[in-house]
Amino acid sequence: MDISTKLLGTSEEELRYAAGLLARGEIVGMPTETVYGLAADAENPRAVEKIFAAKGRPQDNPLIVHIADIERLEEYAHSIPVIAYRLAEKFWPGPLTMVLPKKEIIPDVTSAGLNTVGIRMPCHEAARSLIRLSGKALAAPSANISGSPSPTEAAHVMADMRGRIPAVVDGGSCPVGVESTVISFEGDAVRILRPGFVSAEELSEWAEVICDRHITEAAAEGEKVLSPGMKYKHYSPKANVTIVDGSEEQYLEFVSRHGGNGVCAMIFGSEADKCMIPYIAYGDTSEEQAANLFAVLRKLDGIGAEQVYARMPSPQGVGLAVYNRLLRAAGFEVVRL
Ligand code: TXA
Ligand code: MG
């Protein structure tokens, strides 16, 4: 049966209420600087199972564990390389998740049976307060139904989770807009499993960086991947999305030739005056594009778009995260002009 879902603010009283739910093994929508998460006590297998059920998440896709204090890292992970401490010092609190060998205390359901765990320390104030008030480390995937775009506003969480969870904390729009950078360690090198706001360029100031091939290439059916999330179709609006790679002129010419019923252009913004078909803009800079991407993908459903031609983002800096999410929304369909 549906349960009623409370929309909470970020006052101390409301956060205490949410923390009480978490301490009792319930799950709660939580704002972070990247996207909204669906949080549960990471050490409580029955609570974590509720996350998988609410999202319809595949059982083999592990959850990220969120902490508010760096001292807690060693409670959950062991054999932590020196470079991980350096990166934590530089990028935490913030949108960086480190995959490390897990300790027993993390139940199998949280790590989806892997012997590693992804840990991150978010910098969103409400997330940090909620973690501290609950006294727990919080397992939290993005708070969307599996496969749909990640939520960057409380209203998106409500749209997907109303009736499935007891509460959502409304902390406003998520400023980063794409999920955290996920890395693993290989000797002294760092492998990027999922690009995010902490970019390959920034990380390479601290360590040798390997960008996993599956950031920009689809995994073949049954192919082994280093992060289970790489296997799944993600971020998909109902419309068919196609990325169009070319100059502004080539792109505008392409969409004017392919316009028609249900066709929408997904443009940067600055070319709006010159776009001859219905469009939606997702931003001129990579930072703007990251912040707007998921809300725009959700909006496309709202306007009933059937075919979307998205202008190819620059894959530099946080742009690589935008490109990666858009590729997945497009099922890796790219037209090169
Ligand atoms: O920004 C974020 O990371 C957001 C907020 C809520 O913190 N969380 C998030 O969680 O995006 P989720 O579950 O939607 O994505 C986690 C990704 C998945 O692709 C998963 O496969 C990967 O991280 N992952 C988690 N633990 C892992 C592990 N031990 N080894 C490899 N990949 C892992
Ligand atoms: Mg997700």
Side-chain angles (χ1 to χ4, degrees):
M1 207 187 70
D2 278 11
I3 54 171
S4 87
T5 306
K6 273 200 173 75
L7 189 61
L8 302 170
T10 54
S11 68
E12 162 122 19
E13 194 192 342
E14 290 164 290
L15 290 177
R16 275 191 195 286
Y17 177 84
L21 289 171
L22 291 164
R24 288 198 298 281
E26 287 300 334
I27 63 178
V28 169
M30 165 178 83
T32 83
E33 70 279 18
T34 56
V35 301
Y36 275 77
L38 194 56
D41 173 359
E43 293 177 39
N44 179 342
R46 269 195 293 278
V48 172
E49 277 163 14
K50 291 180 187 172
I51 294 179
F52 282 86
K55 278 182 63 87
R57 183 177 177 97
Q59 296 290 331
D60 68 345
N61 199 2
L63 306 182
I64 292 171
V65 171
H66 298 68
I67 58 176
D69 298 283
I70 202 159
E71 295 72 43
R72 303 207 61 175
L73 176 61
E74 290 168 8
E75 278 180 46
Y76 303 104
H78 66 87
S79 313
I80 303 168
V82 175
I83 178 69
Y85 287 103
R86 281 214 204 105
L87 295 178
E89 232 168 77
K90 166 75 183 150
F91 295 105
W92 280 2
L96 179 70
T97 297
M98 302 198 284
V99 173
L100 294 162
K102 85 170 183 81
K103 285 193 173 165
E104 284 280 301
I105 190 166
I106 299 288
D108 278 348
V109 55
T110 302
S111 64
L114 298 178
N115 55 14
T116 54
V117 60
I119 303 187
R120 104 167 177 98
M121 185 158 108
C123 63
H124 194 289
E125 274 313 314
R128 290 160 62 75
S129 301
L130 191 57
I131 298 166
R132 288 208 175 109
L133 288 169
S134 71
K136 313 283 185 186
L138 299 180
S142 50
N144 51 289
I145 300 279
S146 268
S148 68
S150 296
T152 53
E153 290 169 23
H156 301 160
V157 184
M158 276 300 206
D160 281 16
M161 292 296 155
R162 191 194 293 275
R164 297 170 185 244
I165 65 174
V168 177
V169 174
D170 184 350
S173 298
C174 302
V176 169
V178 289
E179 306 87 338
S180 61
T181 307
V182 178
I183 59 170
S184 62
F185 298 94
E186 292 181 10
D188 292 333
V190 157
R191 177 181 290 270
I192 300 182
L193 300 173
R194 179 178 71 181
F197 192 76
V198 174
S199 65
E201 291 86 341
E202 276 179 286
L203 287 167
S204 66
E205 286 173 25
W206 299 82
E208 182 197 335
V209 171
I210 306 161
C211 280
D212 196 275
R213 186 162 69 77
H214 291 118
I215 291 173
T216 52
E217 281 174 39
E221 185 81 25
E223 186 183 357
K224 206 173 149 22
V225 290
L226 291 173
S227 179
M230 291 167 167
K231 288 187 303 205
Y232 296 107
K233 191 165 161 73
H234 270 319
Y235 318 117
S236 299
K238 293 186 188 82
N240 185 65
V241 179
T242 307
I243 300 175
V244 180
D245 181 11
S247 67
E248 179 185 280
E249 203 185 339
Q250 287 170 319
Y251 173 80
L252 290 171
E253 197 266 330
F254 178 92
V255 295
S256 68
R257 269 193 294 118
H258 289 81
N261 241 351
V263 178
C264 187
M266 196 171 139
I267 64 173
F268 291 164
S270 50
E271 70 274 48
D273 299 346
K274 294 176 249 165
C275 188
M276 304 313 275
I277 71 164
Y279 64 83
I280 189 162
Y282 75 111
D284 282 307
T285 66
S286 295
E287 286 73 15
E288 286 167 8
Q289 291 169 358
N292 296 330
L293 180 69
F294 290 137
V296 163
L297 291 177
R298 279 179 184 258
K299 229 177 254 165
L300 289 167
D301 282 346
I303 61 173
E306 285 162 25
Q307 171 63 50
V308 176
Y309 291 113
R311 181 134 183 238
M312 163 91 176
S314 151
Q316 307 301 315
V318 65
L320 184 61
V322 175
Y323 181 46
N324 167 266
R325 306 313 189 270
L326 207 45
L327 269 174
R328 284 164 180 279
F332 291 88
E333 194 188 327
V334 183
V335 174
R336 303 201 191 269
L337 301 175

